């Protein structure tokens, strides 16, 4: 299905009164994960952006959409498509930009119906893998999905996984027809492998100045403090981090996040903070002694790494995925996540000798000022190309 069919029908003028109105879509609100933080950072810095979501985004015009009532994904798409079409028509939206997997197809179909261009933002592996992690039950990487492989992958979830795989195959043409953004080369490579090609790489934005402005010291213990920020699941290496915590009774581990493996970190040398807003995490980056990112999966990007670089904290991270794209050996130590003893030895080295702190210049390509320009240029390109395809032409600035 092409988003450019039936071109004789008019679509909204791109810049009515010299204003481009953009609608962002994301099912969840702030607090869900890094994708929502990244979208919110963009929305606050790009003019005339509104958001469609189930929760309010402070300071940004937000259209509240209904929460999901259907297990069936296609029924869910029908509901969201109607909502998005109404928002587009009533608010002179010129471009719709989905930022998550839940709203992506509905956004594509709403854009087609309203004759406006659409961008799908790929921030994870949801469209590449029925379980979204590209990890097998034994936690080894999975290179190719098939119905046969699914029989050995979370057997109890096979009906759902098979249904999702069939769904992913059914929407592949729609995803390919839309404009696409991948947040890293790692994501782009995985998309290429499943036939979703020509994605533009635009990294997640970080307001680096916020992480560089000195904050008040948080309530942490004296001595050596190791920081972890993220969800507490196998893909983030929490089972490996738990072993490291047991090995290093001389280190206090400050863990910010929550998830199914929270019980593995209930130890005497752990300070566990289940939830903080993005600004609340900044002082911990600034005052802890090392940041640990032991991700077992290939991080699609590595927002925590950019935040750590911005704050200047030494970093030990896994040696693959998006992390390897961001971090350089002079300012971070990259190790296989399963080599727990090596992580312990590296902590000892940093504790005794220190480590060159992160070079804040490394974060310039991820700063909101740089990403804002990249994205605005891409918006202009998308609108121009859509105008040319429509045969109506393009008269924007």
């Amino acid at each position: 299905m092409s988003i450019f069919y039936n071109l004789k029908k008019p679509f909204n003028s791109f810049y009515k009164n010299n204003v481009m109105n953009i609608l962002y879509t994301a099912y969840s609100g702030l607090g869900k994960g890094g994708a929502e933080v990244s979208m919110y950072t963009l929305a606050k810095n790009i003019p005339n952006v509104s958001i469609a979501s189930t929760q309010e985004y402070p300071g940004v015009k937000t259209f509240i959409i209904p929460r999901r009532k259907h297990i069936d994904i296609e029924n869910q798409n029908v509901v969201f498509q109607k909502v998005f079409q109404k928002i587009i028509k009533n608010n002179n939206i010129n471009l719709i930009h989905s930022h998550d997997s839940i709203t992506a197809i509905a956004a594509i179909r709403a854009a087609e119906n309203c004759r406006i261009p659409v961008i799908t933002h790929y921030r994870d592996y949801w469209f590449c893998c029925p379980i979204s992690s590209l990890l097998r039950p034994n936690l080894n990487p999975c290179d190719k999905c098939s119905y046969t492989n699914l029989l050995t992958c979370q057997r109890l979830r096979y009906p759902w996984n098979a249904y999702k795989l069939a769904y992913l195959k059914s929407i592949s043409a729609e995803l390919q027809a839309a404009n696409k953004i991948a947040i890293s080369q790692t994501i782009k490579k995985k998309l290429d492998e499943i036939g979703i090609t020509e994605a533009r790489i635009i990294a997640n934005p970080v307001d680096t100045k916020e992480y560089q402005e000195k904050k008040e010291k948080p309530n942490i213990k004296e001595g050596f403090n190791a920081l972890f920020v993220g969800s507490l699941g196998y893909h983030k290496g929490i089972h490996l981090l738990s072993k490291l915590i047991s090995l290093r009774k001389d280190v206090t581990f400050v863990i910010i996040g929550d998830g199914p493996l929270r019980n593995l970190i209930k130890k005497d040398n752990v300070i566990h903070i289940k939830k903080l807003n993005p600004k609340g995490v900044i002082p911990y980056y600034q005052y802890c002694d090392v940041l640990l990112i032991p991700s077992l999966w290939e991080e699609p990007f590595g927002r925590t790494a950019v935040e750590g670089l911005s704050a200047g904290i030494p970093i030990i991270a896994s040696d693959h995925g998006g992390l390897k794209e961001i971090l350089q050996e002079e300012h971070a130590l990259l190790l296989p996540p399963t080599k727990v003893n090596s992580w312990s030895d590296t902590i000892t080295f940093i504790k005794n000798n220190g480590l060159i702190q992160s070079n804040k210049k490394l974060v310039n390509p991820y700063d909101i000022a740089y990403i804002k320009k990249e994205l605005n240029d891409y918006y202009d390109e998308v609108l121009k190309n859509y105008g040319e395809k429509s045969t109506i032409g393009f008269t924007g600035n």
Side-chain angles (χ1 to χ4, degrees), residues 37-288:
V37 173
S38 295
M39 182 188 73
Y40 186 46
T41 302
L42 291 171
K44 290 189 298 180
N45 285 276
I46 294 179
N48 305 311
V49 169
S50 54
I51 296 175
S53 179
T54 56
Q55 296 181 36
E56 191 81 21
Y57 279 79
V60 178
K61 183 177 181 179
T62 307
F63 300 98
I64 301 299
I65 64 176
R67 293 189 175 276
R68 291 181 291 179
K69 296 181 180 179
H70 302 283
I71 296 177
D72 183 87
I73 300 177
E74 280 294 2
N75 285 335
Q76 167 190 302
N77 288 336
V78 169
V79 173
F80 289 150
Q81 179 185 343
K82 291 179 180 178
V83 172
F84 295 158
Q85 287 173 187
K86 185 176 180 180
I87 295 171
I88 291 168
K89 293 174 180 177
N90 291 344
N91 295 275
N92 191 39
I93 300 298
N94 312 112
L95 183 150
I96 185 168
H97 181 169
S98 68
H99 286 261
D100 69 351
S101 57
I102 297 176
T103 63
I105 290 297
I108 290 172
R109 293 173 182 173
E112 181 177 34
N113 182 276
C114 296
R115 306 297 178 268
I116 64 172
V118 59
I119 297 173
T120 304
H121 213 123
Y122 293 89
R123 301 181 179 279
D124 55 32
Y125 302 123
W126 196 92
F127 290 105
C128 304
C129 171
I131 62 173
S132 306
S133 68
L134 297 174
L135 292 175
R136 292 187 178 278
N138 60 6
L139 302 180
N140 288 328
C142 181
D143 295 326
K144 189 174 182 179
C145 189
S146 68
Y147 293 107
T148 301
N149 286 344
L150 285 179
L151 289 172
T152 61
C153 185
Q154 295 188 353
R155 184 176 292 271
L156 293 178
R157 280 189 42 160
Y158 180 80
W160 168 256
N161 290 341
Y163 165 74
K164 184 182 171 185
L165 182 58
Y167 170 73
L168 294 177
K169 291 178 181 293
S170 72
I171 61 173
S172 60
E174 291 178 271
L175 295 172
Q176 176 60 17
N179 301 286
K180 298 168 280 290
I181 293 175
I183 60 173
S184 66
Q185 184 63 45
T186 298
I187 286 286
K188 185 179 187 306
K189 178 182 176 183
K190 298 299 182 184
L191 291 173
D192 287 344
E193 290 173 359
I194 62 170
I196 301 175
T197 61
E198 301 176 346
R200 177 72 59 89
I201 297 178
I202 299 179
N204 284 336
V206 173
D207 189 346
T208 61
K209 291 181 180 178
E210 280 196 325
Y211 292 83
Q212 294 167 4
E213 296 171 357
K214 207 65 175 176
K215 312 295 183 184
E216 183 178 345
K217 187 174 182 179
N219 185 23
I220 57 177
K221 295 181 179 180
E222 294 299 322
F224 194 89
N225 289 274
L227 176 65
F228 171 89
V229 180
S231 60
L232 307 184
Y234 283 107
H235 65 301
K236 291 288 188 178
I238 299 305
H239 55 304
L240 304 171
L241 181 61
S242 174
K243 294 179 181 179
L244 184 61
I245 293 169
S246 296
L247 281 176
R248 298 309 302 257
K249 300 297 186 182
D250 59 324
V251 173
T252 298
F253 291 82
V254 180
I255 297 178
I256 301 175
D258 201 7
L261 300 186
R262 66 181 70 87
N263 287 336
L264 292 183
I265 61 159
K266 288 184 176 180
K267 301 178 190 264
D268 293 338
N269 56 333
V270 170
I271 298 174
H272 182 204
I273 303 167
K274 288 186 177 180
K275 188 175 181 180
L276 282 175
N277 62 47
K279 289 187 178 180
V281 179
I282 296 175
Y284 293 91
Y285 282 117
Q286 293 179 343
Y287 288 95
C288 287

Side-chain angles (χ1 to χ4, degrees), residues 38 183-184 203-212 229 282 285 291 293 299-313 315 317 322-328 331-332 358-368 371:
S38 295
I183 60 173
S184 66
N204 284 336
V206 173
D207 189 346
T208 61
K209 291 181 180 178
E210 280 196 325
Y211 292 83
Q212 294 167 4
V229 180
I282 296 175
Y285 282 117
L291 173 64
I293 314 177
E299 284 285 351
F301 177 67
R303 182 181 183 85
T304 303
V306 178
E307 292 172 348
L309 287 173
S310 302
I313 184 174
I315 300 172
L323 295 171
K324 200 169 182 179
E325 294 180 45
I326 294 169
L327 298 170
Q328 297 182 12
H331 308 286
S358 305
N359 183 349
K360 294 174 184 177
K361 291 182 180 179
L362 292 176
V363 303
N364 288 343
Y366 309 104
D367 185 71
I368 180 58
I371 300 301

